[in-house]
Structure formats: structure tokens, C-alpha cells
Amino acid sequence: MKVFHSILLVTMVAVFCQSCQRELFFDKTSMGILKKDGLGDCLPAVIGGLFKVDSTLSNKNFIDVGVAVSFAGNFDISSDTVNGYFFHQSGNVLKGSSNIRLFAKGIPKTAGTDNFIFTYGSSTCEQSIKVTGPQPAVFTLAGAPNTCTGFFADGTYTKGKGLTASNILTIKADVTLPGSYTITAFTNNGFSFSGSGVFTVNGLQDIILKGTGIPLKDEVSRVTVSNIASTCNFGITVVSDTAGKAIFSFDGTPNDCINYTVNGNYYAGIGTNFNNITSMHINVSKPGTYDINTNTANGLLFTAAGSFFTPGPQTVTLIAKGEPVREEFTAFIPNTGTQSCNFIVNVQPLPPPAVFTLSGAPGACAPITVNGFYIVSKPLDNANTIVIQVNVAVPGSYTITTNNINGMSFSASGLFSNSGLQNMILHGSGIPQSTGTSTLKPGYGGSACSFSVTVQ
């Protein structure tokens, strides 16, 4: 019985001492240092898991770092945020040497080697993490191996004149396995197109290629579009700069224009898009190049450029630019160098705001497609767009804008006529100021997600 009492007493004292130890130490901040080698690299730095571009990190992604603790207590060890992710752990630690596992959080944005700085109190160490890129996409070009289908070559192509930001080639690809892609389109006439990016979903989708070079001769140039698996082709007409200006007139001149069609909807406060065009009948008396601009009225302007190759009745398409200011019937007069006619556009009142959420919110926008090239000091143009997905609960008008980071921002405005899942195209503006990856966040009605753009 005495032995039993003795054992019970020792046990109670031990529990009491442990309780005292917790009270004395674990309610205070620990003191210690991170273990590192002579180069400042963390020890033992055991790395777990695979780090992949656009993959959300989990508890399988971690790093073990060593600490030498001189005073027990609570701790908080973390890294800086690099390339969209970081490491962190907190808790209690006893005096002495031990290893602490820090878990990764976030989504790596670009492939490469990321250098992290880990901090424990005033102590730091460094460690590199390798991020692998997305696997190559598997896709075929629409129309391959014959004429490309669904292609559109924007801009004019003139002998001896360099291609500009308006010379954009849009083609279609049928994706069977999402991943990275690089596509080129070449000619034997001094100019070409190229583009790269990441497909995030399966199915038929547009790819935008940027044109470069200077056409050497006026001809119908054969353009061959190629990726690893397939090839298709089509023709682009290169005109001679010596052809001179065309002479033509619009149907209805000098009174109201006739035989024209205004396409797309025009709403006060909503910018125009590719659907906002006006098709007009004309009569060409002398073939040649043309550059048509209407007057600017109610925040809108219509333009067209190209060449007429034959005389006689034809159709020309004018593209709307701008954002209507107010609801009204607005008149426009396209210039021809002589007399012209006028046509009317009905600008309607702004519909009630739509109700929708961004797919992927509150995390990374998903699915997402980043189009165009992003280069330091080069202004963003029509090729710099972001395609995100939204879920529309109540159709209506919308205007959405991201934050401004590294001199760039993206925005969109328009009208949803139906509910359900659908794509939204954000158009870029600004001039990138420095290289690196920038995180931008579109938000609407309390719903927000994020995406990254890498500037070269």
C-alpha cells in the first residue's frame, strides 16, 4: 500500500511539473535560430511533393527545416511569397534541436526555380524550389491538313510596310488535352505570325497569333499554320502601295445611306465589341486602297481600311469603336473624299445590372486563357486579352475592372442576355513597367478571383 501511495505521489508531481512547464514556457514566444550551412541554405531542407504550374498546393507540398531552440515556447516560421505561393507553420517547440515541417500554400504561376527566404525570429535561411511547367497540349488545327477553317486575318497587308499591332491572326484549335502550346504561321513573303500560351480546357477554341515582318511583294501569300501534330493553310492578300486610293460612293449619297445594316447592340455606358459593325453597299469606280472614318458622335466612331480590287457594286464593313454616352438615335457620315451619305445608330438605355459570380472565386479564376505577349515598355493592344468564365444568375449589363499592377489593368463591359455559364473577355490596357509575374484580380458584386500575367 505504501508503494502504491508513493507511485501515485510521483505521478501527480510529474503531471504538475509538466503543467508548470507548459505554463512557464508555452505561453511565451520561443527563442532560437534556423539551421543553415555556410552558404545560408536551410538544413536539412527536406522537400516534399511536386510543385506544378497552376496546381493548388496541399499538405503533400512541404519543406522540413531544422531549428536550434534556446528557450521553449510558441513559434511562427514562414517564408516570403514567391511566384504565387509560400510556406508556413506555427505551434510550440521545446528547447534543443528539432525539425519543423512547413506546409506550402498557394498556386505556382510560372515554371522555373523559386528562391525563398525563411524567417524564425531574427534568424533566416534560404532554399530553392523547382516548379515544373504544364505538359504540352494535344490539339489539332481546325481544317488540317487542308485549308484552315474559322481563321480571321485582321489588319491590312501592304508591300514594303511593316506589320503592326493590328495585324493579328485568329485561328481555331480543337484541344483534346489541355497544356502549353506554341504555334507559328509562316509565309515566303517576308512576314509571319506566332503565339504561345496555355489551354486550360478541352474543345474548340480561338488562338491569337501576332504578326511580324515586312511583306516583300504584292500577291496572295500562302500562310502555313503549324504545330507539332497538324498543319493547315490559307491566303492573305498583300496589296501594292502604288495602287493609289480608291474612288467610290455609298448607296444613297448625297442623302440618307441606303442598303446598310447595323449589327450588334448599342447601349449607353457599354463599350463596343466585335459584334458592333455596319455593313454598307458601295459602288467602286476606281479600285485601290481605302481608309474610311466617320465623324465621332455620342462617343462612337466607325472605321474601315483595306483595298478594292475590282470596280462595281461591293460591300464594305465598318467597325465601331468607343462607348456610347447617352441613349439616342445618332447619325454618322463616312468619308469618301467627296460627297457622302449618313446612317443612323440606335443607342439604347443601359439595362439593369447583371447578377453573376466569377468561376474560381475566391481563389484563382478557372478556367482561364491568357492571350497575347506581355513585354516591358510595350503598350498592351487588342491581342492582350484574358478569357474567364462567369455564372450568370440574372442577365443584364456589366462593367468589370481589375486592379492596376505593374502598369497594367484589364476590363470588360457588355450585356448578358442569358443566364448560366459563359465566357467573358477582359481587354488589357497600360504599359508593363518591369519583368516578372503580376497578379490581377477582377471583382464584381462581392465575387472576385485572381490570375497572373508574366511580363518578359
Side-chain angles (χ1 to χ4, degrees):
M1 183 63 69
K2 291 183 178 180
V3 173
F4 174 76
H5 287 163
S6 298
I7 294 174
L8 180 60
L9 179 61
V10 170
T11 301
M12 292 176 62
V13 170
V15 171
F16 177 76
C17 290
Q18 289 178 358
S19 177
C20 291
Q21 186 180 38
R22 284 194 295 269
E23 183 178 349
L24 290 173
F25 296 105
F26 289 157
D27 61 345
K28 299 182 182 297
T29 301
S30 66
M31 296 179 61
I33 59 173
L34 290 164
K35 294 183 179 180
K36 56 186 176 181
D37 60 19
L39 298 177
D41 294 333
C42 303
L43 293 175
V46 177
I47 300 172
L50 297 176
F51 295 78
K52 297 181 179 180
V53 170
D54 293 331
S55 295
T56 302
L57 303 179
S58 67
N59 286 345
K60 294 181 180 180
N61 303 99
F62 61 83
I63 181 172
D64 292 339
V65 297
V67 295
V69 179
S70 57
F71 186 84
N74 53 59
F75 72 90
D76 190 295
I77 302 176
S78 63
S79 73
D80 51 348
T81 299
V82 179
N83 193 21
Y85 66 106
F86 65 95
F87 296 84
H88 177 259
Q89 186 59 278
S90 61
N92 298 316
V93 65
L94 296 172
K95 180 179 179 181
S97 296
S98 60
N99 292 335
I100 294 178
R101 177 160 294 182
L102 282 65
F103 293 103
K105 296 182 180 180
I107 303 175
K109 302 303 181 183
T110 59
T113 300
D114 299 325
N115 298 313
F116 288 90
I117 299 176
F118 295 84
T119 302
Y120 172 38
S122 60
S123 174
T124 63
C125 66
E126 300 180 10
Q127 183 59 43
S128 297
I129 303 293
K130 184 177 180 181
V131 176
T132 58
Q135 62 183 345
V138 177
F139 65 97
T140 56
L141 298 168
N146 302 307
T147 301
C148 303
T149 58
F151 71 89
F152 177 72
D154 198 8
T156 58
Y157 299 81
T158 306
K159 174 184 175 182
K161 289 189 176 182
L163 271 58
T164 67
S166 65
N167 296 109
I168 298 169
L169 175 62
T170 302
I171 60 174
K172 289 187 178 294
D174 191 2
V175 181
T176 55
L177 178 65
S180 61
Y181 69 86
T182 297
I183 299 177
T184 58
F186 58 90
T187 71
N188 291 323
N189 195 19
F191 65 100
S192 61
F193 302 83
S194 63
S196 61
V198 176
F199 294 122
T200 59
V201 295
N202 292 335
L204 195 65
Q205 48 202 286
D206 289 336
I207 304 172
I208 296 177
L209 309 181
K210 180 183 177 182
T212 58
I214 302 174
L216 302 177
K217 52 187 176 180
D218 53 320
E219 64 171 16
V220 178
S221 295
R222 179 185 176 92
V223 182
T224 302
V225 187
S226 177
N227 76 323
I228 297 175
S230 62
T231 299
C232 64
N233 57 79
F234 62 94
I236 287 181
T237 300
V238 178
V239 299
S240 173
D241 196 32
T242 59
K245 295 292 184 180
I247 299 176
F248 61 97
S249 62
F250 291 91
D251 288 5
T253 300
N255 302 306
D256 293 336
C257 301
I258 60 175
N259 300 325
Y260 72 92
T261 303
V262 178
N263 296 305
N265 295 313
Y266 298 79
Y267 296 98
I270 297 181
T272 57
N273 56 42
F274 62 89
N275 292 315
N276 297 116
I277 59 176
T278 297
S279 298
M280 306 190 69
H281 283 257
I282 61 170
N283 186 51
V284 178
S285 56
K286 175 183 176 296
T289 61
Y290 65 88
D291 189 355
I292 302 172
N293 293 278
T294 69
N295 56 308
T296 299
N298 197 13
L300 291 174
L301 168 72
F302 288 82
T303 66
S307 296
F308 299 124
F309 298 100
T310 58
Q314 301 179 42
T315 300
V316 65
T317 299
L318 280 62
I319 300 173
K321 297 180 180 179
E323 180 179 300
V325 177
R326 59 191 175 275
E327 56 175 296
E328 66 173 21
F329 288 92
T330 306
F332 296 91
I333 302 174
N335 68 301
T336 62
T338 57
Q339 284 186 321
S340 186
C341 60
N342 66 84
F343 63 91
I344 305 297
V345 172
N346 180 16
V347 178
Q348 304 174 58
L350 183 68
V355 177
F356 63 90
T357 57
L358 303 172
S359 296
C365 305
I368 183 169
T369 302
V370 179
N371 295 315
F373 295 91
Y374 299 83
I375 302 172
V376 171
S377 299
K378 181 184 180 299
L380 303 190
D381 55 36
N382 291 336
N384 299 111
T385 62
I386 307 294
V387 183
I388 62 176
Q389 187 184 77
V390 299
N391 190 2
V392 180
V394 179
S397 62
Y398 67 87
T399 296
I400 186 170
T401 305
T402 70
N403 53 328
N404 191 308
I405 296 293
N406 194 19
M408 302 177 294
S409 65
F410 292 80
S411 62
S413 62
L415 180 73
F416 292 123
S417 56
N418 300 302
S419 59
L421 290 173
Q422 46 200 291
N423 288 336
M424 173 187 289
I425 300 177
L426 303 175
H427 296 268
S429 62
I431 304 175
Q433 302 299 307
S434 60
T435 60
T437 301
S438 300
T439 300
L440 296 107
K441 298 179 180 180
Y444 183 89
S447 177
C449 60
S450 62
F451 62 86
S452 294
V453 170
T454 299
V455 178
Q456 304 173 4

